[in-house]
């Protein structure tokens, strides 16, 4: 029997410092901080760490009527502040009004988690909150942290000019998954002798999403085999996680977006390919997936003009790439409980898939370097020549041009030199390093 310790808190120093700075500002003027991040990135944990040691109000917006939410909110206010809110305050806005009046003389930190659900309950709730904020914020020492995991709705609430709370936020924090360095740090602390295969599998499954990393570490998964086995078991959180994430984002529009993401995961990266399968123009859906939901990235070859042809679409979330490629595409096995066959299928197809993940890993790794100003890749108009990674250090006039291969023996310096000739003119005046990157360089 292996006893697993709960994974400790990692990273987030910058975000913690920023939340504390904003909270201190509330001593002098009201602050409305919008904290957004993908589901499972650790937003709630971040807030509790940042505010540890001082009183704060935490309201979680559940999927129930506003009046029922308010009963919970009132009890929380009483237990934390000792403030009794009158029974007639049966709306979120009314409770906020009481708190903002109370905050005329005492600083109040208020977290409303899953804030976007208020608009789901009743769109009028957000309008009422705006009226209260506008009336009292100039006199109140309040720090309202509106936290949400549905990008599209949070952006609409706070950044759409037609919405009541547009222009009210004083700060925005986007919580991203862990960096490549933090992923390596976590794995090395749990398995000092980890291999590149272990690291790549952890990245492929989690993409650095805090909850997923913690789940695997807490289950004692130290090697790539352990991680794969943890995914392919009936109790695995990963089996249904993709469905829950997408339904949460898309609601009733779930099917069309789901179909497009599935096609992209299968390698259909151009709009023409996607249109041919779905039987309609997918342009506006692709734009929405990119700009509102942040689930895909639209890429052109580096140095291509903004309106040029040759756009390719990629799922920008490692877990969703993995989930669509292996879990959802083998849904029949899952439904039949054939988890051993699922694992066998993944093992058979993983090497090819992981080559794409390795390219993504290195683009992220180089993008995290302090002096790098741009990272992308390049391909010609015929798609016959492609360079996996180009990292630009504009201020230092340096660039790295690299080919990514799982196996370093498959790298050809001569082939990369030939491809480099196509882009050489763009890097005139730069000190350019041509190199091969492989599993050994992770």
């Amino acid at each position: 029997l292996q006893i697993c310790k709960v994974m400790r808190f990692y990273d987030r120093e910058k975000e913690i410092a920023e939340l504390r700075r904003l909270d201190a500002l509330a001593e002098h003027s009201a602050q409305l901080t919008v904290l957004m991040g993908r589901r499972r990135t650790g937003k709630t944990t971040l807030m509790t760490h940042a505010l540890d040691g001082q009183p704060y109000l935490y309201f979680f917006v559940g999927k129930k009527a506003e009046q029922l939410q308010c009963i919970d909110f009132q009890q929380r206010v009483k237990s934390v502040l000792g403030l009794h809110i009158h029974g007639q305050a049966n709306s979120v806005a009314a409770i906020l009004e009481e708190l903002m009046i109370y905050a005329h003389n005492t600083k109040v930190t208020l977290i409303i988690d899953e804030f976007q659900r208020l608009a789901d309950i009743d769109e009028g709730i957000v309008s009422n909150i705006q009226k209260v904020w506008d009336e009292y914020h100039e006199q109140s020492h309040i720090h309202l942290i509106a936290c949400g995991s549905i990008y599209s709705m949070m952006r609409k609430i706070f950044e759409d000019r037609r919405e009541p709370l547009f222009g009210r936020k004083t700060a925005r924090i986007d919580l991203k998954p862990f960096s490549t360095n933090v992923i390596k740090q976590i794995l090395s602390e749990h398995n000092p002798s980890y291999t590149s295969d272990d690291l790549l599998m952890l990245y492929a499954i989690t993409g650095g999403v805090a909850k997923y990393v913690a789940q695997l570490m807490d289950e004692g998964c130290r090697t790539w085999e352990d991680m794969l086995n943890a995914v392919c078991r009936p109790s695995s959180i990963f089996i249904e996680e993709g469905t829950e994430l997408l339904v949460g984002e898309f609601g009733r529009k779930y099917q069309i977006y789901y179909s497009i993401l599935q096609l992209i995961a299968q390698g259909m990266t151009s709009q023409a390919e996607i249109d041919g399968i779905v039987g309609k123009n997918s342009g506006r859906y692709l734009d929405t997936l990119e700009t509102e939901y942040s689930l895909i990235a639209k890429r052109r070859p580096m140095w291509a003009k903004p309106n040029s042809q040759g756009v390719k679409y990629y799922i920008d979330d490692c877990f969703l790439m993995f989930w669509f490629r292996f879990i959802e595409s083998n849904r029949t096995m899952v439904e039949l409980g054939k988890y051993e066959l699922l694992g066998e299928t993944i093992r058979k197809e993983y090497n090819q898939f992981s080559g794409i993940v390795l390219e993504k890993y290195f683009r992220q790794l180089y993008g995290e370097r302090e002096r790098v100003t741009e990272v992308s890749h390049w391909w010609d108009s015929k798609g016959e020549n492609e360079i996996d990674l180009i990292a630009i250090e504009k201020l230092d006039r340096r660039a790295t041009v690299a080919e990514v291969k799982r196996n370093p023996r498959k790298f050809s310096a001569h082939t990369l030199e030939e491809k480099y000739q196509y882009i050489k003119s763009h890097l005139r005046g730069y000190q350019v390093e041509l190199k091969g990157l492989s599993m050994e360089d992770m």
Side-chain angles (χ1 to χ4, degrees):
L1 177 64
Q2 185 174 16
I3 300 174
C4 304
K5 297 180 180 179
V6 176
M7 191 180 86
R8 70 174 178 87
F9 188 80
Y10 288 88
D11 196 32
R12 310 307 195 197
E13 289 89 355
K14 291 180 180 179
E15 292 87 352
I16 288 173
E18 181 64 4
L19 272 175
R20 288 175 177 169
R21 184 187 73 85
L22 294 166
D23 201 58
L25 287 176
E27 295 280 2
H28 308 287
S29 59
Q31 302 294 311
L32 202 172
T33 300
V34 176
L35 174 60
M36 295 196 295
R38 178 205 188 281
R39 169 184 163 104
R40 311 291 202 186
T41 48
K43 298 180 294 299
T44 304
T45 305
L46 167 68
M47 291 184 290
T48 57
H49 270 75
L51 300 172
D52 187 36
Q54 60 177 299
Y56 61 89
L57 284 164
Y58 176 82
F59 294 166
F60 178 81
V61 182
K63 297 180 179 180
K64 53 186 176 183
E66 183 179 14
Q67 290 80 5
L68 296 177
Q69 308 274 2
C70 290
I71 294 172
D72 297 337
F73 290 178
Q74 288 174 12
Q75 292 173 347
R76 188 67 178 161
V77 171
K78 186 176 181 181
S79 66
V80 174
L81 300 179
L83 176 63
H84 179 71
I85 293 180
H86 303 298
Q88 63 265 30
N90 59 357
S91 72
V92 174
I95 294 175
L96 178 62
E97 181 177 17
E98 295 259 5
L99 289 172
M100 293 188 76
I101 293 171
Y102 177 81
H104 281 185
N105 301 310
T106 304
K107 194 200 83 167
V108 172
T109 301
L110 167 63
I111 298 169
I112 302 182
D113 203 351
E114 297 297 352
F115 187 94
Q116 77 282 340
R117 286 182 181 166
L118 294 173
D120 272 344
I121 295 167
D122 187 339
E123 291 184 0
I125 296 176
V126 177
S127 296
N128 293 333
I129 288 175
Q130 172 253 314
K131 293 172 185 175
V132 171
W133 183 265
D134 288 352
E135 182 174 353
Y136 294 103
H137 80 277
E138 291 185 357
Q139 297 82 34
S140 293
H141 305 285
I142 191 168
H143 185 195
L144 171 56
I145 305 174
C147 178
S149 57
I150 308 296
Y151 269 106
S152 53
M153 292 189 67
M154 291 293 286
R155 285 177 174 169
K156 180 182 178 183
I157 289 169
F158 290 100
E159 298 177 5
D160 188 325
R161 292 179 178 273
R162 297 166 294 183
E163 296 299 313
L165 286 176
F166 174 78
R168 271 64 177 188
K169 74 176 186 290
T170 54
R172 169 177 161 175
I173 298 174
D174 284 348
L175 191 62
K176 303 294 185 183
F178 290 137
S179 68
T180 55
N181 281 334
V182 174
I183 297 171
K184 285 189 281 188
Q185 177 192 355
I186 294 170
L187 184 57
S188 66
E189 289 185 13
H190 288 80
N191 178 10
S193 59
Y194 76 86
T195 67
S196 295
D197 281 306
D198 301 332
L199 176 58
L200 187 59
M201 179 65 84
L202 180 61
Y203 182 77
I205 294 172
T206 71
V209 173
K211 172 62 178 178
Y212 304 155
V213 175
Q215 184 72 28
L216 293 174
M217 295 302 101
D218 292 347
E219 288 190 28
C221 300
R222 305 296 181 256
T223 66
W224 71 267
E225 295 100 330
D226 293 339
M227 297 173 202
L228 183 55
N229 290 336
V231 170
C232 300
R233 62 169 59 115
S235 60
S236 169
I237 68 164
F238 299 101
I239 296 296
E240 299 302 333
E241 177 70 7
T243 301
E244 293 176 13
L245 191 153
L246 297 176
V247 170
E249 280 284 1
F250 303 139
R252 288 173 294 179
K253 298 176 287 184
Y254 166 75
Q255 289 295 337
I256 181 64
Y257 291 120
Y258 180 93
S259 298
I260 291 172
L261 287 168
Q262 194 165 34
L263 292 173
I264 295 173
Q266 291 170 358
M268 300 180 192
T269 58
S270 73
Q271 183 180 338
E273 290 175 303
I274 295 168
D275 289 352
I277 301 296
V278 300
K280 64 168 69 177
N281 188 315
S282 62
R284 68 184 180 93
Y285 298 105
L286 289 165
D287 288 342
T288 301
L289 282 168
E290 179 194 14
T291 58
E292 290 189 23
Y293 296 115
S294 300
L295 288 174
I296 66 171
K298 177 171 60 180
R299 298 197 183 111
R300 292 182 173 86
M302 186 173 271
W303 303 295
K305 295 179 180 179
N307 296 321
S308 63
Q309 300 297 314
V311 171
K312 292 184 179 181
Y313 292 92
Y314 298 87
I315 295 178
D316 217 25
D317 184 290
C318 270
F319 168 73
L320 280 179
M321 284 174 58
F322 184 93
W323 186 81
F324 271 114
R325 180 67 179 81
F326 294 119
I327 307 299
E328 189 57 21
S329 64
N330 294 296
R331 178 57 60 179
T332 302
M333 290 184 197
V334 173
E335 297 299 333
L336 292 173
K338 306 288 186 179
Y339 293 97
E340 289 186 6
L341 288 181
L342 177 64
E344 187 178 326
T345 301
I346 296 175
R347 285 181 178 87
K348 183 178 179 181
E349 302 175 3
Y350 175 72
N351 273 7
Q352 180 181 2
F353 170 81
S354 66
I356 299 170
V357 177
L358 188 62
E359 290 178 23
K360 179 177 173 61
Y361 175 90
F362 279 117
R363 284 194 285 269
Q364 180 176 337
L365 177 68
Y366 272 79
E368 291 165 354
R369 294 186 174 180
E370 186 175 353
R371 303 297 293 176
V372 170
T373 54
E374 187 177 3
V375 177
S376 188
H377 49 159
W378 175 89
W379 56 91
D380 65 16
S381 57
K382 297 180 181 178
E384 295 175 354
N385 292 289
E386 184 170 356
I387 296 174
D388 297 326
L389 183 149
I390 304 169
I392 304 291
E393 299 173 46
K394 186 175 182 180
L395 297 177
D396 302 323
R397 308 297 286 177
R398 289 200 299 260
T400 300
V401 176
E403 190 83 1
V404 178
K405 299 289 186 183
R406 276 185 57 95
N407 186 342
R409 292 190 295 274
K410 292 187 176 181
F411 168 68
S412 167
H414 175 71
T415 301
L416 181 58
E417 177 67 40
E418 287 184 332
K419 292 180 181 179
Y420 171 63
Q421 298 307 311
Y422 289 99
I423 64 168
K424 190 174 182 178
S425 61
H426 294 287
L427 294 172
R428 189 175 291 114
Y430 278 75
Q431 179 184 339
V432 179
E433 179 184 16
L434 303 183
K435 65 189 304 183
L437 296 170
S438 71
M439 299 281 285
E440 297 176 354
D441 303 292
M442 291 183 70

